[in-house]
Amino acid sequence: MEVSCLEPCVQLKLSREELENTVDKAKDWALMHGISMRSKVSFNKNQVQVLPFTLLPSSFPKKHFEKVKGIQVLLNELIHKVAHNNDFLIKSLKSTIGADSFTAKLFNIYETVYKEGFNQTVSLGLLRSDYMLHANQIKQVELNTIASSFGGIVTITSQYHKYILSELGYTDKIKNIPENNPINGLCKGLTHAWKLYDNKKAVILFVVENVTYNICDQRFHEFEISKINPDIKVIRKSLKDLVSEARLGPNKQLIVGNLEVSVVYFRSGYEVEAYPTEQEWEIRLLIERSKAIKCPSIQYHLAGTKKVQQSLAYSNALNVFLKDDNIIKQIQEIFAGLYSLEFNNETESVIDNAISHPKKYVLKPQREGGGNNVYDKDIKLRLESMRNSEERTAWILMDRFYPPVQKNYIVCARNEPFEDNYLHFSNVVSELGIYGVIIGNHDNIIYNKEVGHILRTKPSNENEGGIAAGIGAIDSPYLI
Ligand code: ADP
Ligand code: MG
Ligand code: MG
């Protein structure tokens, strides 16, 4: 695959000593401002460590950046409508839930509350639509409807990249780093939902992992909520905690301990590991049955599955949700080729093609959080092994992107001590994410905004760039 290149924002000409001093200062800036997380290797509640970040902002074409920023409110609306279309959800997910027990469990919860009638009709979505550049176009990787993370960290990272450019003497270039304040936008979504619930004493519940590594990002949300409205109290509980602490009140209020919950913000619950026993599933159902506003509600959660993404890429799918041809066209332009693996004749030829040319595709299951997809020759092996089994319907195939490469330094990558790493520019590629906030019920959209962006950057030879895994890095776009 031929790949193109992007010019880096600056060509650093520093001695080794100058570079080391710069990196030292950059790390301290990052640590002191919270571009940090807890260590997985030596977990200690009293400590955080700098998470991987790029020394310099990475170049990103302005026209593509603006295009996807501009369509975020349309995507918010689309996902909202998809989530409220029972027929579409059933049709899209029917075969997948036969093959994937995790999605089936989520779907069961959805069906249960759908049949009972929702006790809270309003949903809150803090979404993040992710993109890569490919062949001079910008294409959607996926759209996250649950636990869209790093809005706090990247707000700070934009400030860091401005700082480092000025520190290196490039103050004239700071203007190319766009304003970015997703933390405020996301938290305004949370506080708006809190207001809609209309009980000043009710708290916002963050549903978190048993052990949280990405603590700084989560706390940035909590602290921002307090800044926006100091009267709002936030509590943090894992699904496990909630098994013993949560119940429904007489009017379907969600009660935790002795506190009523207005908004449930899931930062966990998208991953299989969050549900080790049936009890966690029962708690998820209890939450969905409650009159608390959920971020996301179970229907928003399902609307964010890879399978729904693939269903939306069928040629006439968008016409069900959107009436304006021009809008439909704009959205279709960002979709990549996405292919169902359900049993039909069309699918067989896609599978044949993917087996012969695995580098043209990514094979994806219904999972979130990174590290689940299949690449390269493993695609061939996996497709061959499940070709005749129902299992394949739990997966989708997607055209693979090859974004343009550029040079940058990744600071604090997993291969510390990073001496070898940082004295060379390495080839990196980036993934842009746009944050969106949506609030609405079946009939109305009450709130719909685009609230900022994230750039994540990884070495170009890596298939995936998990930040927590230490492979990818937090970055800021430098618009060119
Ligand atoms: P998850 O929900 O686990 O984040 P993604 O669809 O975002 O799933 O895939 C994880 C990562 O895999 C992405 O961040 C990106 O690095 C890589 N990836 C996903 N889809 C593609 C694609 N079509 N082409 C190239 N890389 C991809
Ligand atoms: Mg995802
Ligand atoms: Mg992703």
Side-chain angles (χ1 to χ4, degrees):
M1 194 67 55
E2 200 181 312
V3 288
S4 55
C5 296
L6 291 172
E7 278 296 304
C9 64
V10 295
Q11 300 278 0
L12 282 189
K13 292 195 181 66
L14 301 178
S15 68
R16 187 188 165 103
E17 195 188 342
E18 286 167 330
L19 184 57
E20 277 178 11
N21 285 339
T22 305
V23 170
D24 265 352
K25 201 186 295 192
K27 280 172 81 167
D28 289 342
W29 196 103
L31 193 59
M32 290 169 65
H33 290 78
I35 305 181
S36 311
M37 66 196 316
R38 285 194 182 127
S39 167
K40 282 199 170 156
V41 194
S42 53
F43 180 82
N44 176 342
K45 266 198 167 180
N46 294 329
Q47 285 174 1
V48 288
Q49 64 182 27
V50 177
L51 58 79
F53 65 100
T54 57
L55 184 67
L56 299 169
S58 291
S59 297
F60 200 92
K62 189 174 180 187
K63 75 167 188 204
H64 293 312
F65 177 82
E66 285 177 350
K67 175 174 173 170
V68 291
K69 247 182 144 59
I71 65 169
Q72 185 59 41
V73 293
L74 306 175
L75 293 176
N76 292 346
E77 179 184 339
L78 173 64
I79 287 298
H80 178 83
K81 289 183 171 165
V82 168
H84 289 88
N85 188 321
N86 183 52
D87 291 345
F88 188 83
L89 288 181
I90 293 179
K91 208 166 139 229
S92 300
L93 293 167
K94 204 163 119 203
S95 64
T96 300
I97 58 182
D100 180 48
S101 61
F102 183 70
T103 312
K105 287 271 201 189
L106 294 172
F107 196 83
N108 280 345
I109 291 177
Y110 166 70
E111 267 198 320
T112 306
V113 285
Y114 182 83
K115 283 186 186 141
E116 290 175 355
F118 296 103
N119 289 314
Q120 176 54 263
T121 55
V122 173
S123 296
L124 165 64
L126 302 184
L127 315 182
R128 200 187 70 216
S129 181
D130 292 333
Y131 303 89
M132 282 177 162
L133 297 170
H134 177 79
N136 289 323
Q137 293 178 304
I138 186 153
K139 292 286 181 184
Q140 187 180 51
V141 174
E142 64 153 348
L143 191 144
N144 295 290
T145 58
I146 183 162
S148 309
S149 60
F150 291 122
I153 302 275
V154 292
T155 301
I156 306 297
T157 309
S158 293
Q159 295 164 22
Y160 160 75
H161 282 118
K162 289 180 184 178
Y163 161 77
I164 201 72
L165 283 183
S166 68
E167 192 57 26
L168 291 164
Y170 298 100
T171 26
D172 57 316
K173 296 193 179 251
I174 290 174
K175 62 181 185 310
N176 294 41
I177 298 182
E179 277 309 306
N180 197 27
N181 198 353
I183 193 64
N184 185 256
L186 295 169
C187 292
K188 275 191 181 140
L190 286 159
T191 56
H192 195 93
W194 175 87
K195 226 179 270 158
L196 286 173
Y197 188 84
D198 200 22
N199 175 349
K200 285 211 156 68
K201 289 208 178 100
V203 302
I204 298 182
L205 165 67
F206 284 24
V207 176
V208 299
E209 313 86 333
N210 291 329
V211 178
T212 296
Y213 297 103
N214 199 7
I215 188 71
C216 300
D217 188 54
Q218 291 184 12
R219 290 288 191 199
F220 274 133
H221 288 72
E222 189 174 334
F223 303 156
E224 185 73 14
I225 288 169
S226 164
K227 239 194 248 172
I228 295 171
N229 185 341
D231 291 332
I232 304 177
K233 189 171 153 58
V234 169
I235 60 169
R236 296 168 54 83
K237 298 283 174 190
S238 67
L239 286 173
K240 188 167 170 232
D241 297 331
L242 294 170
V243 168
S244 55
E245 295 179 42
R247 64 190 166 86
L248 290 186
N251 298 318
K252 306 289 178 195
Q253 308 96 312
L254 178 62
I255 313 282
V256 176
N258 56 5
L259 299 167
E260 180 170 347
V261 175
S262 55
V263 180
V264 183
Y265 175 40
F266 285 98
R267 286 297 294 245
S268 173
Y270 57 84
E271 69 286 40
V272 179
E273 301 74 35
Y275 304 89
T277 70
E278 269 310 301
Q279 289 184 308
E280 284 80 10
W281 284 112
E282 282 161 19
I283 281 297
R284 180 72 191 267
L285 175 60
L286 181 134
I287 293 172
E288 297 302 327
R289 276 179 168 150
S290 79
K291 70 170 211 177
I293 298 174
K294 274 77 69 180
C295 175
S297 58
I298 190 72
Q299 62 270 33
Y300 270 23
H301 188 166
L302 290 173
T305 54
K306 311 282 188 291
K307 185 64 193 168
V308 165
Q309 180 189 10
Q310 176 262 309
S311 304
L312 286 170
Y314 283 125
S315 57
N316 287 323
L318 293 184
N319 298 57
V320 175
F321 305 103
L322 304 164
K323 296 292 160 251
D324 185 324
D325 286 344
N326 185 33
I327 288 178
I328 291 175
K329 194 170 139 266
Q330 283 182 55
I331 295 181
Q332 275 168 343
E333 265 173 21
I334 58 150
F335 286 172
L338 287 143
Y339 314 94
S340 154
L341 293 185
E342 284 163 51
F343 286 87
N344 61 49
N345 292 341
E346 250 169 74
T347 313
E348 299 311 317
S349 66
V350 177
I351 294 179
D352 286 338
N353 202 350
I355 287 173
S356 320
H357 307 286
K359 287 202 168 292
K360 286 187 170 172
Y361 298 91
V362 179
L363 180 61
K364 299 190 177 186
Q366 308 307 308
R367 292 289 179 274
E368 294 296 327
N372 300 300
N373 300 338
V374 176
Y375 300 88
D376 303 325
K377 62 178 187 319
D378 292 339
I379 294 183
K380 176 176 180 309
L381 298 176
R382 192 62 77 97
L383 284 176
E384 282 172 346
S385 80
M386 66 183 180
R387 186 158 201 168
N388 299 316
S389 141
E390 285 292 332
E391 189 199 341
R392 73 185 220 191
T393 59
W395 299 73
I396 61 153
L397 274 168
M398 181 174 189
D399 287 344
R400 181 161 182 176
F401 309 133
Y402 288 90
V405 300
Q406 62 187 298
K407 304 279 189 183
N408 205 339
Y409 301 97
I410 295 179
V411 181
C412 290
R414 76 185 147 169
N415 47 344
E416 281 197 87
F418 54 94
E419 268 223 316
D420 289 335
N421 206 29
Y422 83 70
L423 290 179
H424 301 120
F425 269 139
S426 61
N427 277 329
V428 296
V429 295
S430 298
E431 180 173 349
L432 177 72
I434 306 292
Y435 294 97
V437 178
I438 179 111
I439 304 176
N441 57 24
H442 189 278
D443 305 316
N444 291 305
I445 289 175
I446 302 164
Y447 191 97
N448 182 3
K449 288 190 194 309
E450 176 275 308
V451 298
H453 57 269
I454 175 174
L455 197 71
R456 287 170 300 164
T457 291
K458 64 180 183 183
S460 60
N461 57 351
E462 295 282 353
N463 287 327
E464 290 196 25
I467 308 282
I471 300 167
I474 294 282
D475 198 350
S476 306
Y478 177 88
L479 298 183
I480 53 171

